[in-house]
Amino acid sequence: MTSRQRFLAACAGQVVDRPPVWIMRQAGRYLPEYRDLKSKHGFLGMVKTPALAAEVSLQPLRRFALDAAILFSDILVIPEALGQAYQFRDQGGIAMERRLETRADIAALADAAAVPERLQYVAQALRLLHGELKGERALLGFGGSPWTLATYMVEGGSSEDFIRIKTLFYTERATFEALLEKLTDALIAYFRLQIEAGADAIQIFDSWGGIVAGPDYEAASLQWIRRIVAALPPAFPLILYAKDTAAHHVLQAGAGIRVLSVDWTADLAALHDRLAAARIPAALQGNLDPVLLNTTPEVVRRATARLLESMRGRAGHIVNLGHGILPQARIDCVEALVNTVTAWK
Ligand code: CP3
């Protein structure tokens, strides 16, 4: 069984020899070869040059026996393709070139139909990766959820309190919906492009779903994700990354996605039982604490074995962290994680 077959079988909830494994943000600052390339080309230079994006995506696969590669890119390529560029703040975090405030600002964004042409560099990077992987390892595409992207666009970058996006949601619902509809259409076009270019699965990052008031989660975030699910080929493996949204796990898993990726606060086996009881066939991805990879290989081996043991005999598990790997992660700890999974019996 190839890694790609193992990955797709796990997405489909089938029994496999051992759970597949990949790591969110597996191409990143903890790798010296990533820092090296970034010092020469810059983050955006790497994202926008297909050969470099493909190279960065492959770097972690050369070191570790990962079952999947993820496209090297960013969720913010969508706002950029719609006409709102992004950059990184010196102190960390994102700064958008301006902030969306009025209905006119939203109307001035490009049409969603412009997205595939403007993001040809992503399609090219995926095609290069598809060729390099030779069907042996799975190839993942990704994008932000409409809600998560809207937070950056309305806040004007990273935010601490999310007052602007929430105020828009509470007081100007029609304007909010005009923006979310545009983002949803843009993401549907973008994901179709990724599928045509060879993505085996796509992960939707609802990274800021957890800041929404509980009763508003459906209206603010999940309904737009449902529209994306409905517009893509039936049974295409969509993974929904849910951070800080434990209250909505069953709702999310039942939204038509194939895999729910959960943060480290959840008990994965207990969630597996809850989904089984509700007859929801979604697989689960996760969910080790990223900070484990900053500790020691021995600590990582124990935590990984505990997770694997708790999921023993349960079909539909993809091992991952509960959020992206941190820049301070130790390479021997990443090795310990991946090797514990690949040696698991
Ligand atoms: O998983 C992977 O390896 C694929 C690459 C990937 C990146 N960003 C590359 C990246 C993925 C899947 C993303 C998604 C992303 N981008 C999300 C959702 C995932 C999550 O973490 O919840 C979000 C919210 C963003 C927006 C973004 N891009 C942020 C908040 C940052 C960090 C800014 C900071 O403070 O430095 C980025 C930059 C970014 N995107 C980096 C990488 C590897 C770090 C850039 C660097 O090298 O300095």
Side-chain angles (χ1 to χ4, degrees), residues 22-29 34 38 43 46-47 60 70-76 86 88-89 91-94 142-144 148 152 158 205-208 241 243 323-324:
W22 70 283
I23 297 173
M24 283 188 259
R25 295 264 179 113
Q26 61 192 24
R29 282 171 283 190
Y34 171 90
K38 188 181 149 188
F43 179 79
M46 297 193 300
V47 163
I70 181 162
L71 162 76
F72 182 77
S73 189
D74 201 89
I75 63 170
L76 298 169
Y86 64 102
F88 299 104
R89 293 186 183 132
Q91 346 56 291
I94 305 293
F142 72 92
T148 291
Y152 287 99
S158 304
F205 285 91
D206 196 20
S207 305
W208 295 118
Y241 173 66
K243 182 159 186 293
H323 199 196

Side-chain angles (χ1 to χ4, degrees), residues 61-73:
L61 275 71
R62 294 196 188 108
R63 278 186 187 262
F64 315 111
L66 297 156
D67 291 297
I70 181 162
L71 162 76
F72 182 77
S73 189

